Amino acid sequence: MKVLQFPLTRVVIGFVLGILFAYYSKLGIRVGFEMILICFSLFSISYFLQKNSLKKGIFFGLATFLLFFSIGSITLITHNESNQEKHYSHHLAYFETENLLEVTIQEKIKSTTKNDRYIATVSTINDSIVTGKILLNCPKEIANKKFETGAQLLIKERLIQNKLPFNPNQFDYGKYLENKQIYGQLYLNTRNHFESPIIHRDLNYYTAKLRSTIIHNLEQADFSSKELNVAVALILGQKQDLSSDVMQDYQYAGAIHILSVSGLHIGFILLFLNFILKPIPNTRKGALLKLTLTISLLALFALIAGLAPSVVRAVTMFSFIAIGYYLRRSTYIYHTIIVSLFLILLFQPYFLFDVGFQLSYIALFFILWLQPLIISLWNPENRILKSAWEILSVSVAAQIGTLPLSLYYFHQFPSLFFITNLIVIPCLSIIMFYGIGVMILAAFQITPAFIIKPFEWSIYGLNQFINWIASFKSFVLQDIPFNLYLLLTTYLCIITITLWFKKPKFNRLVWVLIAIVSLQLTHIKTQWQIQNEKEWIIFNQNYNSLLTQRSGKQIIAYTPDSTASRSTIQAYVVGNFSALKTTTKINNLNYFNGNKILVLDSTGVYLTIIHPDILVLTQSPKINLDRILKTTQPKIVVADATNYKTLQKAWKQSCKKQKIPFHATAEKGYFILN
């Protein structure tokens, strides 16, 4: 691969590996700076030893790699806001008692069924200056209260720490928030907050105000709310108001990528800017003016779109392309991608752990690398067929590249993606051009119906087509088990097979065979490991108890209501490459791996002669736990989330008196026995 011969490629690989090392090793600031000092010393020594040599040796190359490895590590450490001395996460007292917090709203994010949610910065807690971001949850029943960006609130409440997943194989939302530098949450009610009349006006405030003005003016022009939310996602990259039904339709149709402003959208915007700036003469000053306006307008668009990772990546890359055109130099696109990746991660290293960012770069790389090979397989003479084949080849290349990552994160594959993209991508270019014009006019309160309505109808038509494709749910392959080892070996297969097709050689064929054998061995190892595992789990559910016993790939679920537990257990089934064998009622007495498990439900009935190893409490049984503990003497007591919180507190104290461990799933998450 020629791209690997580009010196900056090796440097960026070292930089990325350094970010990953610091992230997973939890590297401290002191160790990070010591490491970069040592690596810089090695680099300096190697440079002076070989500065007179025309060809640098392996020692210089290794020293350079280590230097950028350490730079990657220290970049992540310095961007970790929890390392700041005044960060609120260092004070555990803030998470234990009520405090008076002064916060400023930064942005509104996607709401849940119960809460509107905002990202806010904390400036003071109990009059002490602190730093850090929090997630602010505002119940929708609070008079439909909406906070604008820059709003300042005084809140008297206890901070809540991010928690680990409460059930096995569940999405780790706490880790997701930490990657966004959010380490705590607040919940508002009607009495615990006061909104200051003073608005904090910064760049975020003015860009949010511009977005709000555009949306408000379109609403006043009777733009349908459903279509407006899709239009705002397509043009401005704001998805927080999209309904779950619309998101699901686009996901099932294989078109979810068009709702995240990325390279495709920025490419259309660059073409639009080139069109409107065409009257400027191509003199030296004119070309410089075009370049300045193009980069400035792209940067402004990134700000308006909320600096989403995909937007930042695309704007950075296309800015380099614009500079290349200005310098009259052929821009080697791989170099542009690598430079944009390096610059973005240098300023926002946590973008590396954003799923959208990963998918965006992988898709772009495979379009550039694999699409020429796919398109060379057929060369139709008909112009319409040729255009359709070009669009399809781009879509197939992107899907091949992102398929392993999509299976790893989402465990599903929309098999009708090629039909969707054949229709959507050509239409999207027209919608984008027209939509940008509509948004600009709306910003100046120019919203005549003969201009607005065609845009609304085009979005309506797009939604209807997507909904029709998504209705063929049998073509959406769901619940596909996939782990990290399969992810890596699958990519190894894709890369080696592509290299062999590009230039068939015996040594490349050997690598293809090695990759295929590696994938097979990984699958066999995974199946063998799963087959030899046994575990017994008490899940965390508020209204319905759920216990499971897994032996190899077979799972038995014990629950009074299988319908209510289906979504909870499905992630566990998929994550463990297993199948749900049967669902039955909960037994009061269970045996697992030599452990006797007694389950007490709302009846509170049990045999006093039983001496269980594990006592499980569900459905708030009316019992005297002190007496039961004395007669049964269990090794541990487990209470699931179906019990009243007041009872759980009392039971915790009873266990503490008799020095018996107590595990409440509502507090500590699921309980596992293996």
Side-chain angles (χ1 to χ4, degrees):
M1 296 173 69
K2 292 182 179 179
V3 67
L4 293 177
Q5 298 173 6
F6 184 39
L8 187 60
T9 301
R10 304 168 196 175
V11 164
V12 171
I13 289 173
F15 181 79
V16 170
L17 290 176
I19 291 175
L20 292 172
F21 174 75
Y23 181 82
Y24 289 106
S25 66
K26 306 293 183 183
L27 204 65
I29 296 178
R30 181 176 177 180
V31 176
F33 278 105
E34 289 174 350
M35 186 172 71
I36 197 171
L37 182 61
I38 293 170
C39 291
F40 181 76
S41 301
L42 288 174
F43 173 79
S44 301
I45 293 169
S46 65
Y47 173 77
F48 284 111
L49 288 176
Q50 300 182 10
K51 67 177 181 178
N52 296 323
S53 175
L54 294 176
K55 187 176 180 180
K56 304 298 182 185
I58 190 171
F59 180 60
F60 178 79
L62 180 61
T64 305
F65 180 87
L66 291 175
L67 176 62
F68 277 87
F69 180 90
S70 62
I71 291 174
S73 297
I74 205 66
T75 298
L76 185 89
I77 293 169
T78 53
H79 281 83
N80 187 341
E81 295 180 7
S82 66
N83 288 327
Q84 296 175 5
E85 186 178 348
K86 293 186 178 181
H87 197 272
Y88 67 81
S89 61
H90 300 311
H91 304 274
L92 293 179
Y94 296 155
F95 299 94
E96 295 171 352
T97 58
E98 282 190 350
N99 305 277
L100 185 63
L101 301 94
E102 184 178 351
V103 306
T104 303
I105 303 294
Q106 274 203 327
E107 65 173 304
K108 184 181 185 299
I109 61 175
K110 190 170 180 61
S111 302
T112 63
T113 54
K114 295 182 179 179
N115 298 304
D116 288 325
R117 300 186 302 167
Y118 304 85
I119 294 177
T121 54
V122 185
S123 53
T124 65
I125 299 181
N126 299 332
D127 294 328
S128 298
I129 297 175
V130 296
T131 61
K133 292 187 288 189
I134 61 165
L135 180 65
L136 189 63
N137 298 274
C138 179
K140 292 182 178 180
E141 62 265 19
I142 302 183
N144 293 319
K145 181 67 177 177
K146 303 287 185 183
F147 298 112
E148 63 177 324
T149 299
Q152 298 187 74
L153 307 176
L154 282 175
I155 306 170
K156 189 174 184 181
E157 190 55 81
R158 177 176 67 90
L159 273 171
I160 298 174
Q161 284 182 311
N162 297 334
K163 296 178 181 178
L164 294 172
F166 277 100
N167 287 309
N169 303 103
Q170 192 180 52
F171 174 64
D172 194 343
Y173 189 62
K175 178 59 68 176
Y176 170 81
L177 290 177
E178 284 186 15
N179 289 340
K180 294 185 176 295
Q181 304 302 298
I182 298 171
Y183 295 86
Q185 300 187 47
L186 282 176
Y187 285 84
L188 297 184
N189 57 49
T190 53
R191 298 181 179 179
N192 69 348
H193 71 281
F194 167 77
E195 184 176 0
S196 170
I198 301 173
I199 301 294
H200 179 70
R201 290 177 169 82
D202 58 5
L203 192 58
N204 286 332
Y205 168 80
Y206 289 108
T207 55
K209 198 73 174 176
L210 178 58
R211 286 197 301 270
S212 299
T213 299
I214 292 171
I215 294 170
H216 174 73
N217 290 335
L218 290 175
E219 287 175 339
Q220 293 298 308
D222 295 325
F223 204 113
S224 171
S225 60
K226 182 179 179 180
E227 279 67 44
L228 178 58
N229 291 336
V230 173
V232 170
L234 284 173
I235 310 298
L236 301 180
Q238 299 295 309
K239 299 185 294 183
Q240 57 264 39
D241 293 321
L242 284 173
S243 68
S244 57
D245 291 338
V246 171
M247 291 286 285
Q248 187 180 76
D249 283 348
Y250 277 80
Q251 192 174 15
Y252 284 0
I256 192 68
H257 59 282
I258 73 172
L259 294 179
S260 298
V261 175
S262 58
L264 179 67
H265 302 70
I266 304 300
F268 288 147
I269 291 172
L270 186 60
L271 290 174
F272 178 76
L273 291 176
N274 287 335
F275 174 75
I276 63 174
L277 296 176
K278 198 172 183 179
I280 299 176
N282 283 324
T283 61
R284 186 167 183 174
K285 290 184 178 179
L288 181 59
L289 178 61
K290 279 185 180 181
L291 175 67
T292 305
L293 287 173
T294 298
I295 294 177
S296 300
L297 290 171
L298 287 177
L300 177 61
F301 175 80
L303 285 170
I304 294 172
L307 294 176
S310 59
V311 178
V312 172
R313 186 272 307 165
V315 166
T316 304
M317 188 188 69
F318 279 97
S319 296
F320 274 96
I321 291 175
I323 292 170
Y325 284 139
Y326 169 73
L327 296 174
R328 304 289 197 274
R329 295 178 182 176
S330 58
T331 307
Y332 187 38
I333 191 65
Y334 290 114
H335 296 179
T336 303
I337 295 172
I338 292 164
V339 171
S340 68
L341 174 67
F342 177 70
L343 289 177
I344 290 168
L345 294 181
L346 188 64
F347 291 98
Q348 291 289 349
Y350 277 93
F351 276 6
L352 184 62
F353 308 100
D354 183 272
V355 178
F357 184 82
Q358 296 170 13
L359 289 170
S360 183
Y361 261 101
I362 290 289
L364 181 60
F365 174 77
F366 272 88
I367 288 171
L368 296 171
W369 186 56
L370 185 57
Q371 190 262 352
L373 176 63
I374 296 173
I375 203 171
S376 66
L377 299 176
W378 185 38
N379 187 24
E381 294 182 1
N382 184 283
R383 185 175 296 179
I384 296 175
L385 285 176
K386 190 177 181 68
S387 298
W389 176 237
E390 287 176 355
I391 294 171
L392 184 60
S393 64
V394 169
S395 182
V396 170
Q399 287 292 342
I400 290 174
T402 58
L403 177 60
L405 212 56
S406 298
L407 293 179
Y408 177 68
Y409 284 118
F410 309 117
H411 302 286
Q412 67 179 24
F413 174 66
S415 57
L416 293 180
F417 72 90
F418 58 94
I419 297 177
T420 304
N421 287 282
L422 272 176
I423 305 300
V424 167
I425 290 179
C427 295
L428 184 63
S429 59
I430 300 171
I431 293 172
M432 284 287 295
F433 285 139
Y434 195 79
I436 291 170
V438 169
M439 296 290 176
I440 292 172
L441 292 175
F444 294 97
Q445 296 184 346
I446 303 173
T447 55
F450 71 90
I451 292 178
I452 301 299
K453 285 304 175 182
F455 181 48
E456 180 184 345
W457 296 333
S458 66
I459 297 294
Y460 174 79
L462 177 66
N463 286 344
Q464 290 299 108
F465 174 74
I466 293 294
N467 179 260
W468 177 67
I469 294 292
S471 66
F472 298 97
K473 294 184 179 180
S474 58
F475 288 92
V476 181
L477 308 179
Q478 295 180 300
D479 300 329
I480 304 171
F482 212 72
N483 60 19
L484 178 62
Y485 303 108
L486 289 173
L487 171 72
L488 297 176
T489 51
T490 302
Y491 270 122
L492 182 62
C493 285
I494 292 172
I495 291 170
T496 54
I497 291 172
T498 303
L499 287 172
W500 183 77
F501 269 108
K502 280 178 173 285
K503 198 171 184 180
K505 286 184 177 181
F506 178 75
N507 61 339
R508 293 191 175 188
L509 181 60
V510 171
W511 278 108
V512 170
L513 295 175
I514 290 173
I516 293 173
V517 171
S518 299
L519 179 60
Q520 292 174 328
L521 290 175
T522 301
H523 180 71
I524 292 170
K525 177 184 177 295
T526 301
Q527 295 297 323
W528 180 85
Q529 185 177 353
I530 293 292
Q531 199 64 43
N532 288 276
E533 287 180 346
K534 292 182 179 181
E535 56 189 22
W536 198 84
I537 297 177
I538 302 172
F539 284 71
N540 180 71
Q541 288 197 136
N542 290 331
Y543 304 107
N544 185 52
S545 296
L546 174 62
L547 293 75
T548 63
Q549 180 177 333
R550 181 169 70 86
S551 180
K553 300 177 71 172
Q554 301 297 321
I555 297 175
I556 300 174
Y558 301 97
T559 177
D561 185 355
S562 59
T563 304
S565 303
R566 188 173 298 161
S567 59
T568 303
I569 199 173
Q570 191 59 33
Y572 175 66
V573 171
V574 174
N576 288 278
F577 295 73
S578 305
L580 184 60
K581 181 181 178 181
T582 184
T583 301
T584 185
K585 299 294 182 181
I586 298 175
N587 299 322
N588 288 107
L589 188 60
N590 305 269
Y591 295 90
F592 179 79
N593 267 9
N595 292 288
K596 190 186 297 181
I597 305 165
L598 176 63
V599 180
L600 290 184
D601 55 21
S602 57
T603 62
V605 177
Y606 71 101
L607 294 174
T608 57
I609 59 172
I610 295 176
H611 296 282
D613 298 289
I614 301 169
L615 176 61
V616 181
L617 305 173
T618 70
Q619 303 296 330
S620 303
K622 296 178 181 179
I623 56 173
N624 186 323
L625 186 61
D626 290 297
R627 185 187 307 148
I628 291 175
L629 293 179
K630 289 178 181 178
T631 57
T632 60
Q633 297 179 339
K635 295 178 181 177
I636 186 171
V637 175
V638 181
D640 71 8
T642 62
N643 299 289
Y644 296 131
K645 291 182 179 180
T646 52
L647 286 177
Q648 292 185 52
K649 289 180 180 179
W651 293 339
K652 187 176 183 179
Q653 292 300 318
S654 297
C655 290
K656 188 176 182 180
K657 289 178 189 175
Q658 301 196 33
K659 298 181 180 179
I660 296 175
F662 179 76
H663 184 108
T665 63
E667 180 182 346
K668 299 179 180 179
Y670 65 95
F671 175 81
I672 184 169
L673 186 66
N674 49 27

